[in-house]
Amino acid sequence: SQKIEQNSEALNIQEGKTATLTCNYTNYSPAYLQWYRQDPGRGPVFLLLIRENEKEKRKERLKVTFDTTLKQSLFHITASQPADSATYLCALVNNNDMRFGAGTRLTVKP
Amino acid sequence: DSGVTQTPKHLITATGQRVTLRCSPRSGDLSVYWYQQSLDQGLQFLIQYYNGEERAKGNILERFSAQQFPDLHSELNLSSLELGDSALYFCASSVLGVYTDTQYFGPGTRLTVL
């Protein structure tokens, strides 16, 4: 069956370091992969989209990679700040099917 | 503020009851999506409408139904409620309803079934 795994439930890092979050999937062939940020009690906020034929996408301090051979996406936040603390969700899309990972809760400590 | 509004913010009801959740998309967005988020299941796509027509269906139970009206607002109807239906229900909207669109999520409706 299709499975989406995000590396860990929680990730704690020091301010200024690079946070790296992982999204692995099995038995699925996404055409696109999206990353969202979600703060407690609020709706997800779209961050980045990467297509299957793209290796890397950047937006300010954010970088996403997509390796369809490894079936993995990495999401990096460079020069992390306490304000980056949130849950980050990956979402895989194929045709009209969209599936979310369980999310990784990132805490950036000052 | 995403521009998507959802009412009510909180809803407490009993098992077996029926409730209606309402969503108004961002101005200019033609597509509406409904999601359920619970602690054990994560964020699950339920259903999508585009300009009044159903476009895609996810893990939506038969007890649940939705529609999008001519003014583009949408309602999600949940009936014969069970304890397990307690969750956050999010509505999102996008311009064209394709998955390369950015989806803008509303603040959610927290449903508690007692």
PDB file of all heavy atoms in Angstrom, chain B residues 60-90:
ATOM      1  N   ILE B  60     -13.488  10.185   1.460  1.00  0.00           N
ATOM      2  CA  ILE B  60     -14.710  10.722   2.055  1.00  0.00           C
ATOM      3  C   ILE B  60     -15.700   9.591   2.315  1.00  0.00           C
ATOM      4  O   ILE B  60     -15.959   8.764   1.455  1.00  0.00           O
ATOM      5  CB  ILE B  60     -15.331  11.829   1.173  1.00  0.00           C
ATOM      6  CG1 ILE B  60     -16.487  12.512   1.911  1.00  0.00           C
ATOM      7  CG2 ILE B  60     -15.715  11.312  -0.197  1.00  0.00           C
ATOM      8  CD1 ILE B  60     -16.916  13.825   1.295  1.00  0.00           C
ATOM      9  N   LEU B  61     -16.207   9.555   3.548  1.00  0.00           N
ATOM     10  CA  LEU B  61     -17.163   8.518   3.925  1.00  0.00           C
ATOM     11  C   LEU B  61     -18.508   8.773   3.262  1.00  0.00           C
ATOM     12  O   LEU B  61     -18.846   9.905   2.926  1.00  0.00           O
ATOM     13  CB  LEU B  61     -17.341   8.509   5.454  1.00  0.00           C
ATOM     14  CG  LEU B  61     -16.086   8.234   6.282  1.00  0.00           C
ATOM     15  CD1 LEU B  61     -16.375   8.460   7.760  1.00  0.00           C
ATOM     16  CD2 LEU B  61     -15.587   6.819   6.060  1.00  0.00           C
ATOM     17  N   GLU B  62     -19.299   7.712   3.128  1.00  0.00           N
ATOM     18  CA  GLU B  62     -20.633   7.869   2.524  1.00  0.00           C
ATOM     19  C   GLU B  62     -21.545   8.721   3.384  1.00  0.00           C
ATOM     20  O   GLU B  62     -22.485   9.342   2.882  1.00  0.00           O
ATOM     21  CB  GLU B  62     -21.254   6.488   2.304  1.00  0.00           C
ATOM     22  CG  GLU B  62     -20.675   5.786   1.093  1.00  0.00           C
ATOM     23  CD  GLU B  62     -21.496   4.566   0.699  1.00  0.00           C
ATOM     24  OE1 GLU B  62     -22.640   4.433   1.153  1.00  0.00           O
ATOM     25  OE2 GLU B  62     -20.960   3.748  -0.063  1.00  0.00           O
ATOM     26  N   ARG B  63     -21.268   8.792   4.673  1.00  0.00           N
ATOM     27  CA  ARG B  63     -22.074   9.621   5.592  1.00  0.00           C
ATOM     28  C   ARG B  63     -21.783  11.112   5.397  1.00  0.00           C
ATOM     29  O   ARG B  63     -22.474  11.964   5.941  1.00  0.00           O
ATOM     30  CB  ARG B  63     -21.762   9.254   7.054  1.00  0.00           C
ATOM     31  CG  ARG B  63     -22.035   7.831   7.425  1.00  0.00           C
ATOM     32  CD  ARG B  63     -21.768   7.585   8.893  1.00  0.00           C
ATOM     33  NE  ARG B  63     -20.365   7.527   9.239  1.00  0.00           N
ATOM     34  CZ  ARG B  63     -19.709   8.462   9.932  1.00  0.00           C
ATOM     35  NH1 ARG B  63     -20.342   9.553  10.344  1.00  0.00           N
ATOM     36  NH2 ARG B  63     -18.433   8.310  10.234  1.00  0.00           N
ATOM     37  N   PHE B  64     -20.743  11.410   4.650  1.00  0.00           N
ATOM     38  CA  PHE B  64     -20.354  12.806   4.418  1.00  0.00           C
ATOM     39  C   PHE B  64     -20.727  13.186   2.990  1.00  0.00           C
ATOM     40  O   PHE B  64     -20.601  12.385   2.057  1.00  0.00           O
ATOM     41  CB  PHE B  64     -18.853  12.996   4.595  1.00  0.00           C
ATOM     42  CG  PHE B  64     -18.323  12.731   5.977  1.00  0.00           C
ATOM     43  CD1 PHE B  64     -19.140  12.340   7.025  1.00  0.00           C
ATOM     44  CD2 PHE B  64     -16.960  12.873   6.232  1.00  0.00           C
ATOM     45  CE1 PHE B  64     -18.635  12.107   8.291  1.00  0.00           C
ATOM     46  CE2 PHE B  64     -16.441  12.642   7.501  1.00  0.00           C
ATOM     47  CZ  PHE B  64     -17.274  12.254   8.531  1.00  0.00           C
ATOM     48  N   SER B  65     -21.133  14.424   2.810  1.00  0.00           N
ATOM     49  CA  SER B  65     -21.393  14.927   1.467  1.00  0.00           C
ATOM     50  C   SER B  65     -21.037  16.397   1.411  1.00  0.00           C
ATOM     51  O   SER B  65     -20.928  17.058   2.454  1.00  0.00           O
ATOM     52  CB  SER B  65     -22.863  14.722   1.083  1.00  0.00           C
ATOM     53  OG  SER B  65     -23.688  15.506   1.927  1.00  0.00           O
ATOM     54  N   ALA B  66     -20.831  16.887   0.229  1.00  0.00           N
ATOM     55  CA  ALA B  66     -20.465  18.291   0.085  1.00  0.00           C
ATOM     56  C   ALA B  66     -21.099  18.843  -1.178  1.00  0.00           C
ATOM     57  O   ALA B  66     -21.560  18.094  -2.045  1.00  0.00           O
ATOM     58  CB  ALA B  66     -18.940  18.445   0.032  1.00  0.00           C
ATOM     59  N   GLN B  67     -21.126  20.153  -1.262  1.00  0.00           N
ATOM     60  CA  GLN B  67     -21.553  20.798  -2.498  1.00  0.00           C
ATOM     61  C   GLN B  67     -20.934  22.187  -2.569  1.00  0.00           C
ATOM     62  O   GLN B  67     -20.551  22.764  -1.539  1.00  0.00           O
ATOM     63  CB  GLN B  67     -23.065  20.864  -2.620  1.00  0.00           C
ATOM     64  CG  GLN B  67     -23.799  21.492  -1.474  1.00  0.00           C
ATOM     65  CD  GLN B  67     -25.316  21.420  -1.672  1.00  0.00           C
ATOM     66  OE1 GLN B  67     -25.830  21.553  -2.779  1.00  0.00           O
ATOM     67  NE2 GLN B  67     -26.045  21.199  -0.591  1.00  0.00           N
ATOM     68  N   GLN B  68     -20.854  22.680  -3.792  1.00  0.00           N
ATOM     69  CA  GLN B  68     -20.395  24.043  -4.019  1.00  0.00           C
ATOM     70  C   GLN B  68     -21.519  24.787  -4.731  1.00  0.00           C
ATOM     71  O   GLN B  68     -22.038  24.326  -5.749  1.00  0.00           O
ATOM     72  CB  GLN B  68     -19.116  24.071  -4.862  1.00  0.00           C
ATOM     73  CG  GLN B  68     -18.521  25.466  -4.979  1.00  0.00           C
ATOM     74  CD  GLN B  68     -17.250  25.499  -5.807  1.00  0.00           C
ATOM     75  OE1 GLN B  68     -17.028  24.655  -6.676  1.00  0.00           O
ATOM     76  NE2 GLN B  68     -16.406  26.480  -5.552  1.00  0.00           N
ATOM     77  N   PHE B  69     -21.849  25.935  -4.198  1.00  0.00           N
ATOM     78  CA  PHE B  69     -23.001  26.700  -4.670  1.00  0.00           C
ATOM     79  C   PHE B  69     -22.598  27.684  -5.764  1.00  0.00           C
ATOM     80  O   PHE B  69     -21.407  27.938  -5.973  1.00  0.00           O
ATOM     81  CB  PHE B  69     -23.633  27.419  -3.482  1.00  0.00           C
ATOM     82  CG  PHE B  69     -24.233  26.468  -2.474  1.00  0.00           C
ATOM     83  CD1 PHE B  69     -23.443  25.937  -1.451  1.00  0.00           C
ATOM     84  CD2 PHE B  69     -25.554  26.075  -2.568  1.00  0.00           C
ATOM     85  CE1 PHE B  69     -23.978  25.037  -0.537  1.00  0.00           C
ATOM     86  CE2 PHE B  69     -26.094  25.186  -1.656  1.00  0.00           C
ATOM     87  CZ  PHE B  69     -25.303  24.670  -0.642  1.00  0.00           C
ATOM     88  N   PRO B  70     -23.586  28.255  -6.485  1.00  0.00           N
ATOM     89  CA  PRO B  70     -23.260  29.194  -7.563  1.00  0.00           C
ATOM     90  C   PRO B  70     -22.400  30.379  -7.114  1.00  0.00           C
ATOM     91  O   PRO B  70     -21.625  30.911  -7.908  1.00  0.00           O
ATOM     92  CB  PRO B  70     -24.631  29.658  -8.052  1.00  0.00           C
ATOM     93  CG  PRO B  70     -25.526  28.496  -7.781  1.00  0.00           C
ATOM     94  CD  PRO B  70     -25.021  27.897  -6.492  1.00  0.00           C
ATOM     95  N   ASP B  71     -22.525  30.795  -5.857  1.00  0.00           N
ATOM     96  CA  ASP B  71     -21.661  31.900  -5.409  1.00  0.00           C
ATOM     97  C   ASP B  71     -20.291  31.385  -4.968  1.00  0.00           C
ATOM     98  O   ASP B  71     -19.482  32.146  -4.436  1.00  0.00           O
ATOM     99  CB  ASP B  71     -22.331  32.680  -4.263  1.00  0.00           C
ATOM    100  CG  ASP B  71     -22.452  31.860  -2.990  1.00  0.00           C
ATOM    101  OD1 ASP B  71     -22.173  30.638  -3.026  1.00  0.00           O
ATOM    102  OD2 ASP B  71     -22.840  32.423  -1.959  1.00  0.00           O
ATOM    103  N   LEU B  72     -20.026  30.120  -5.188  1.00  0.00           N
ATOM    104  CA  LEU B  72     -18.760  29.415  -4.969  1.00  0.00           C
ATOM    105  C   LEU B  72     -18.488  29.031  -3.522  1.00  0.00           C
ATOM    106  O   LEU B  72     -17.480  28.361  -3.273  1.00  0.00           O
ATOM    107  CB  LEU B  72     -17.567  30.199  -5.541  1.00  0.00           C
ATOM    108  CG  LEU B  72     -17.655  30.467  -7.043  1.00  0.00           C
ATOM    109  CD1 LEU B  72     -16.479  31.315  -7.511  1.00  0.00           C
ATOM    110  CD2 LEU B  72     -17.712  29.159  -7.819  1.00  0.00           C
ATOM    111  N   HIS B  73     -19.360  29.411  -2.588  1.00  0.00           N
ATOM    112  CA  HIS B  73     -19.128  28.918  -1.247  1.00  0.00           C
ATOM    113  C   HIS B  73     -19.466  27.430  -1.221  1.00  0.00           C
ATOM    114  O   HIS B  73     -20.173  26.917  -2.107  1.00  0.00           O
ATOM    115  CB  HIS B  73     -19.910  29.718  -0.198  1.00  0.00           C
ATOM    116  CG  HIS B  73     -21.274  29.195   0.123  1.00  0.00           C
ATOM    117  ND1 HIS B  73     -22.402  29.564  -0.578  1.00  0.00           N
ATOM    118  CD2 HIS B  73     -21.681  28.330   1.077  1.00  0.00           C
ATOM    119  CE1 HIS B  73     -23.449  28.957  -0.057  1.00  0.00           C
ATOM    120  NE2 HIS B  73     -23.048  28.201   0.943  1.00  0.00           N
ATOM    121  N   SER B  74     -18.945  26.737  -0.227  1.00  0.00           N
ATOM    122  CA  SER B  74     -19.132  25.294  -0.163  1.00  0.00           C
ATOM    123  C   SER B  74     -19.594  24.884   1.227  1.00  0.00           C
ATOM    124  O   SER B  74     -19.305  25.576   2.215  1.00  0.00           O
ATOM    125  CB  SER B  74     -17.821  24.586  -0.505  1.00  0.00           C
ATOM    126  OG  SER B  74     -17.956  23.177  -0.412  1.00  0.00           O
ATOM    127  N   GLU B  75     -20.299  23.802   1.277  1.00  0.00           N
ATOM    128  CA  GLU B  75     -20.735  23.231   2.548  1.00  0.00           C
ATOM    129  C   GLU B  75     -20.378  21.757   2.599  1.00  0.00           C
ATOM    130  O   GLU B  75     -20.488  21.053   1.594  1.00  0.00           O
ATOM    131  CB  GLU B  75     -22.245  23.414   2.742  1.00  0.00           C
ATOM    132  CG  GLU B  75     -22.650  24.853   2.941  1.00  0.00           C
ATOM    133  CD  GLU B  75     -24.134  25.048   3.137  1.00  0.00           C
ATOM    134  OE1 GLU B  75     -24.896  24.062   3.069  1.00  0.00           O
ATOM    135  OE2 GLU B  75     -24.536  26.201   3.352  1.00  0.00           O
ATOM    136  N   LEU B  76     -19.937  21.334   3.759  1.00  0.00           N
ATOM    137  CA  LEU B  76     -19.629  19.923   4.009  1.00  0.00           C
ATOM    138  C   LEU B  76     -20.633  19.433   5.047  1.00  0.00           C
ATOM    139  O   LEU B  76     -20.724  20.004   6.134  1.00  0.00           O
ATOM    140  CB  LEU B  76     -18.203  19.763   4.530  1.00  0.00           C
ATOM    141  CG  LEU B  76     -17.737  18.348   4.875  1.00  0.00           C
ATOM    142  CD1 LEU B  76     -17.640  17.476   3.620  1.00  0.00           C
ATOM    143  CD2 LEU B  76     -16.383  18.382   5.589  1.00  0.00           C
ATOM    144  N   ASN B  77     -21.401  18.430   4.679  1.00  0.00           N
ATOM    145  CA  ASN B  77     -22.422  17.872   5.559  1.00  0.00           C
ATOM    146  C   ASN B  77     -21.935  16.551   6.126  1.00  0.00           C
ATOM    147  O   ASN B  77     -21.528  15.662   5.377  1.00  0.00           O
ATOM    148  CB  ASN B  77     -23.717  17.646   4.791  1.00  0.00           C
ATOM    149  CG  ASN B  77     -24.268  18.927   4.213  1.00  0.00           C
ATOM    150  OD1 ASN B  77     -24.628  19.840   4.944  1.00  0.00           O
ATOM    151  ND2 ASN B  77     -24.287  19.019   2.892  1.00  0.00           N
ATOM    152  N   LEU B  78     -21.986  16.449   7.442  1.00  0.00           N
ATOM    153  CA  LEU B  78     -21.553  15.234   8.116  1.00  0.00           C
ATOM    154  C   LEU B  78     -22.762  14.682   8.871  1.00  0.00           C
ATOM    155  O   LEU B  78     -23.356  15.404   9.687  1.00  0.00           O
ATOM    156  CB  LEU B  78     -20.423  15.528   9.107  1.00  0.00           C
ATOM    157  CG  LEU B  78     -19.278  16.434   8.609  1.00  0.00           C
ATOM    158  CD1 LEU B  78     -18.283  16.723   9.729  1.00  0.00           C
ATOM    159  CD2 LEU B  78     -18.564  15.784   7.442  1.00  0.00           C
ATOM    160  N   SER B  79     -23.132  13.447   8.601  1.00  0.00           N
ATOM    161  CA  SER B  79     -24.334  12.900   9.247  1.00  0.00           C
ATOM    162  C   SER B  79     -24.006  11.626   9.999  1.00  0.00           C
ATOM    163  O   SER B  79     -22.917  11.058   9.858  1.00  0.00           O
ATOM    164  CB  SER B  79     -25.416  12.628   8.194  1.00  0.00           C
ATOM    165  OG  SER B  79     -24.963  11.684   7.259  1.00  0.00           O
ATOM    166  N   SER B  80     -24.964  11.202  10.811  1.00  0.00           N
ATOM    167  CA  SER B  80     -24.800   9.996  11.658  1.00  0.00           C
ATOM    168  C   SER B  80     -23.435  10.018  12.332  1.00  0.00           C
ATOM    169  O   SER B  80     -22.667   9.055  12.254  1.00  0.00           O
ATOM    170  CB  SER B  80     -24.952   8.730  10.814  1.00  0.00           C
ATOM    171  OG  SER B  80     -26.196   8.709  10.161  1.00  0.00           O
ATOM    172  N   LEU B  81     -23.151  11.117  12.977  1.00  0.00           N
ATOM    173  CA  LEU B  81     -21.812  11.351  13.507  1.00  0.00           C
ATOM    174  C   LEU B  81     -21.388  10.304  14.523  1.00  0.00           C
ATOM    175  O   LEU B  81     -22.191   9.821  15.340  1.00  0.00           O
ATOM    176  CB  LEU B  81     -21.730  12.746  14.127  1.00  0.00           C
ATOM    177  CG  LEU B  81     -21.662  13.879  13.103  1.00  0.00           C
ATOM    178  CD1 LEU B  81     -21.884  15.224  13.771  1.00  0.00           C
ATOM    179  CD2 LEU B  81     -20.318  13.855  12.376  1.00  0.00           C
ATOM    180  N   GLU B  82     -20.112   9.960  14.456  1.00  0.00           N
ATOM    181  CA  GLU B  82     -19.505   9.002  15.372  1.00  0.00           C
ATOM    182  C   GLU B  82     -18.382   9.709  16.129  1.00  0.00           C
ATOM    183  O   GLU B  82     -17.889  10.749  15.689  1.00  0.00           O
ATOM    184  CB  GLU B  82     -18.959   7.814  14.582  1.00  0.00           C
ATOM    185  CG  GLU B  82     -20.006   7.094  13.760  1.00  0.00           C
ATOM    186  CD  GLU B  82     -19.418   6.000  12.891  1.00  0.00           C
ATOM    187  OE1 GLU B  82     -18.182   5.787  12.921  1.00  0.00           O
ATOM    188  OE2 GLU B  82     -20.205   5.346  12.177  1.00  0.00           O
ATOM    189  N   LEU B  83     -17.973   9.097  17.248  1.00  0.00           N
ATOM    190  CA  LEU B  83     -16.895   9.698  18.050  1.00  0.00           C
ATOM    191  C   LEU B  83     -15.648   9.925  17.194  1.00  0.00           C
ATOM    192  O   LEU B  83     -14.954  10.934  17.347  1.00  0.00           O
ATOM    193  CB  LEU B  83     -16.555   8.784  19.230  1.00  0.00           C
ATOM    194  CG  LEU B  83     -17.652   8.591  20.281  1.00  0.00           C
ATOM    195  CD1 LEU B  83     -17.191   7.593  21.341  1.00  0.00           C
ATOM    196  CD2 LEU B  83     -18.028   9.913  20.922  1.00  0.00           C
ATOM    197  N   GLY B  84     -15.386   8.992  16.295  1.00  0.00           N
ATOM    198  CA  GLY B  84     -14.187   9.074  15.458  1.00  0.00           C
ATOM    199  C   GLY B  84     -14.218  10.192  14.432  1.00  0.00           C
ATOM    200  O   GLY B  84     -13.207  10.446  13.768  1.00  0.00           O
ATOM    201  N   ASP B  85     -15.345  10.850  14.284  1.00  0.00           N
ATOM    202  CA  ASP B  85     -15.416  11.974  13.343  1.00  0.00           C
ATOM    203  C   ASP B  85     -14.886  13.256  13.971  1.00  0.00           C
ATOM    204  O   ASP B  85     -14.742  14.280  13.290  1.00  0.00           O
ATOM    205  CB  ASP B  85     -16.866  12.200  12.893  1.00  0.00           C
ATOM    206  CG  ASP B  85     -17.425  11.014  12.132  1.00  0.00           C
ATOM    207  OD1 ASP B  85     -16.642  10.323  11.439  1.00  0.00           O
ATOM    208  OD2 ASP B  85     -18.636  10.754  12.252  1.00  0.00           O
ATOM    209  N   SER B  86     -14.605  13.213  15.253  1.00  0.00           N
ATOM    210  CA  SER B  86     -14.024  14.386  15.924  1.00  0.00           C
ATOM    211  C   SER B  86     -12.684  14.695  15.279  1.00  0.00           C
ATOM    212  O   SER B  86     -11.799  13.829  15.215  1.00  0.00           O
ATOM    213  CB  SER B  86     -13.829  14.110  17.419  1.00  0.00           C
ATOM    214  OG  SER B  86     -15.067  13.920  18.064  1.00  0.00           O
ATOM    215  N   ALA B  87     -12.550  15.917  14.803  1.00  0.00           N
ATOM    216  CA  ALA B  87     -11.331  16.290  14.064  1.00  0.00           C
ATOM    217  C   ALA B  87     -11.399  17.771  13.723  1.00  0.00           C
ATOM    218  O   ALA B  87     -12.404  18.436  13.973  1.00  0.00           O
ATOM    219  CB  ALA B  87     -11.209  15.474  12.773  1.00  0.00           C
ATOM    220  N   LEU B  88     -10.311  18.252  13.137  1.00  0.00           N
ATOM    221  CA  LEU B  88     -10.292  19.578  12.526  1.00  0.00           C
ATOM    222  C   LEU B  88     -10.652  19.404  11.063  1.00  0.00           C
ATOM    223  O   LEU B  88     -10.062  18.544  10.378  1.00  0.00           O
ATOM    224  CB  LEU B  88      -8.889  20.181  12.612  1.00  0.00           C
ATOM    225  CG  LEU B  88      -8.580  21.177  13.716  1.00  0.00           C
ATOM    226  CD1 LEU B  88      -7.099  21.485  13.739  1.00  0.00           C
ATOM    227  CD2 LEU B  88      -9.390  22.448  13.551  1.00  0.00           C
ATOM    228  N   TYR B  89     -11.577  20.193  10.570  1.00  0.00           N
ATOM    229  CA  TYR B  89     -11.949  20.134   9.161  1.00  0.00           C
ATOM    230  C   TYR B  89     -11.509  21.441   8.509  1.00  0.00           C
ATOM    231  O   TYR B  89     -11.906  22.531   8.920  1.00  0.00           O
ATOM    232  CB  TYR B  89     -13.457  19.915   9.012  1.00  0.00           C
ATOM    233  CG  TYR B  89     -13.856  18.518   9.438  1.00  0.00           C
ATOM    234  CD1 TYR B  89     -14.089  18.230  10.779  1.00  0.00           C
ATOM    235  CD2 TYR B  89     -13.962  17.490   8.509  1.00  0.00           C
ATOM    236  CE1 TYR B  89     -14.418  16.952  11.190  1.00  0.00           C
ATOM    237  CE2 TYR B  89     -14.289  16.206   8.906  1.00  0.00           C
ATOM    238  CZ  TYR B  89     -14.515  15.946  10.248  1.00  0.00           C
ATOM    239  OH  TYR B  89     -14.833  14.673  10.654  1.00  0.00           O
ATOM    240  N   PHE B  90     -10.671  21.284   7.499  1.00  0.00           N
ATOM    241  CA  PHE B  90     -10.151  22.442   6.780  1.00  0.00           C
ATOM    242  C   PHE B  90     -10.757  22.513   5.391  1.00  0.00           C
ATOM    243  O   PHE B  90     -10.973  21.499   4.730  1.00  0.00           O
ATOM    244  CB  PHE B  90      -8.632  22.366   6.625  1.00  0.00           C
ATOM    245  CG  PHE B  90      -7.873  22.575   7.898  1.00  0.00           C
ATOM    246  CD1 PHE B  90      -7.261  21.509   8.537  1.00  0.00           C
ATOM    247  CD2 PHE B  90      -7.753  23.844   8.452  1.00  0.00           C
ATOM    248  CE1 PHE B  90      -6.556  21.695   9.712  1.00  0.00           C
ATOM    249  CE2 PHE B  90      -7.043  24.032   9.623  1.00  0.00           C
ATOM    250  CZ  PHE B  90      -6.452  22.960  10.253  1.00  0.00           C
TER     251      PHE B  90
END
